[in-house]
């Protein structure tokens, strides 16, 4: 009996480089989501949730079109957020990023992710396959949580658009990171969203 949690970052957003907080997928983002849908097609999902933001909702819709039995639901626990602030040991390279974040945003993100962890990293007594379509920082927080890393480390854990991360838990064992930011379903020209170009 294993609980499988599949974490997916949304596809590339149209005009994301212009600083828009949300928007539809770009044509490349739709291709990313279609490729991911093909990759996930053989998995017997029990449930799926997505962030209510447009770029995640559209990604979920494209994936669900390939899997008619799957009906993704919007969850406010998967909104884009800032899960925590910097710590004394956080490298100064992140100062510009955190300098633009308010205490209110950090408090809201911390509360959201505490609820998200309680909801989605719960133990299951049966085999389950669940899909979460969300955002870079949210996935970084889940990975950090499973690895027991310091709170601030989520900011250094990055996912590409439509990258696939898989977490599993077997009865009596902690959650494990099976794969992180797997892009094998995306050809090089569709690999976007990482701070540095993906070269492999």
């Amino acid at each position: 009996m294993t609980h499988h949690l599949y974490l997916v970052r949304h596809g590339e957003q149209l005009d994301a480089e212009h600083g828009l907080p949300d928007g539809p997928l770009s044509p490349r983002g739709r291709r990313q989501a279609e490729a991911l849908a093909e990759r996930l097609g053989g998995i017997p999902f029990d449930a799926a949730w997505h962030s209510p933001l447009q770029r995640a909702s559209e990604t979920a819709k494209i994936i669900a079109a390939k899997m008619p039995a799957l009906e993704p639901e919007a969850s406010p626990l998967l909104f884009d957020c800032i899960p925590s602030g910097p710590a004394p040991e956080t490298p100064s390279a992140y100062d510009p990023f955190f300098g633009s974040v308010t205490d209110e945003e950090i408090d809201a993100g911390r509360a959201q992710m505490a609820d998200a962890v309680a909801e989605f990293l719960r133990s299951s007594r049966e085999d389950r396959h669940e899909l979460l379509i969300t955002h870079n920082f949210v996935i970084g927080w889940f990975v950090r949580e499973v690895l027991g890393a310091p709170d601030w480390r989520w900011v250094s854990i990055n996912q590409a658009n439509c990258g696939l991360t898989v977490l599993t838990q077997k009865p009596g064992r902690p959650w494990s990171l099976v794969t992180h930011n797997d892009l094998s379903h995306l050809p090089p020209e569709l690999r976007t969203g990482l701070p540095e170009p993906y070269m492999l």
Side-chain angles (χ1 to χ4, degrees), residues 2-60:
T2 305
H3 189 180
H4 306 265
L5 197 62
Y6 302 79
L7 304 172
V8 167
R9 185 183 178 191
H10 58 80
E12 180 184 72
Q13 179 184 329
L14 184 67
D15 295 331
E17 68 274 13
H18 296 152
L20 300 177
D22 192 24
L25 295 181
S26 68
R28 183 162 55 183
R30 289 193 291 273
R31 289 175 61 201
Q32 291 166 342
E34 289 165 358
L36 178 63
E38 293 289 343
R39 169 80 182 276
L40 298 176
I43 298 172
F45 285 111
D46 297 289
W49 293 270
H50 63 86
S51 160
L53 292 176
Q54 184 178 2
R55 58 192 186 273
S57 297
E58 288 191 5
T59 303

Side-chain angles (χ1 to χ4, degrees), residues 4-199:
H4 306 265
L5 197 62
Y6 302 79
L7 304 172
V8 167
R9 185 183 178 191
H10 58 80
E12 180 184 72
Q13 179 184 329
L14 184 67
D15 295 331
E17 68 274 13
H18 296 152
L20 300 177
D22 192 24
L25 295 181
S26 68
R28 183 162 55 183
R30 289 193 291 273
R31 289 175 61 201
Q32 291 166 342
E34 289 165 358
L36 178 63
E38 293 289 343
R39 169 80 182 276
L40 298 176
I43 298 172
F45 285 111
D46 297 289
W49 293 270
H50 63 86
S51 160
L53 292 176
Q54 184 178 2
R55 58 192 186 273
S57 297
E58 288 191 5
T59 303
K61 188 176 297 185
I62 290 170
I63 292 173
K66 298 279 188 178
M67 292 179 269
L70 193 64
E71 296 184 10
E73 300 177 38
S75 170
L77 298 180
L78 299 177
F79 263 121
D80 202 5
C81 70
I82 306 296
S84 77
E89 66 271 23
T90 305
S92 60
Y94 296 107
D95 288 350
F97 170 80
F98 284 113
S100 64
V101 177
T102 67
D103 290 342
E104 290 75 15
E105 287 175 308
I106 292 170
D107 289 343
R110 182 181 289 114
Q112 175 188 317
M113 291 314 301
D115 289 344
V117 165
E119 175 69 22
F120 296 116
L121 291 183
R122 66 194 184 285
S123 296
S124 175
R125 295 182 179 276
E126 57 188 13
D127 282 332
R128 285 192 65 81
H129 297 264
E130 298 175 337
L131 174 64
L132 306 184
I133 301 160
T134 181
H135 303 276
N136 188 32
F137 296 163
V138 173
I139 298 171
W141 184 265
F142 274 111
V143 173
R144 180 221 59 82
E145 178 76 20
V146 165
L147 295 178
D151 283 2
W152 69 269
R153 287 304 303 268
W154 65 268
V155 77
S156 67
I157 302 171
N158 291 290
Q159 290 67 223
N161 295 118
C162 285
L164 176 63
T165 294
V166 182
L167 309 175
T168 66
Q169 185 188 43
K170 295 183 178 181
R173 299 184 186 182
W175 280 90
S176 298
L177 177 64
V178 175
T179 187
H180 173 250
N181 195 40
D182 184 347
L183 304 181
S184 60
H185 50 286
L186 298 177
E189 67 272 15
L190 292 185
R191 297 178 182 181
T192 63
L194 291 174
E196 290 84 29
Y198 188 83
M199 302 303 294

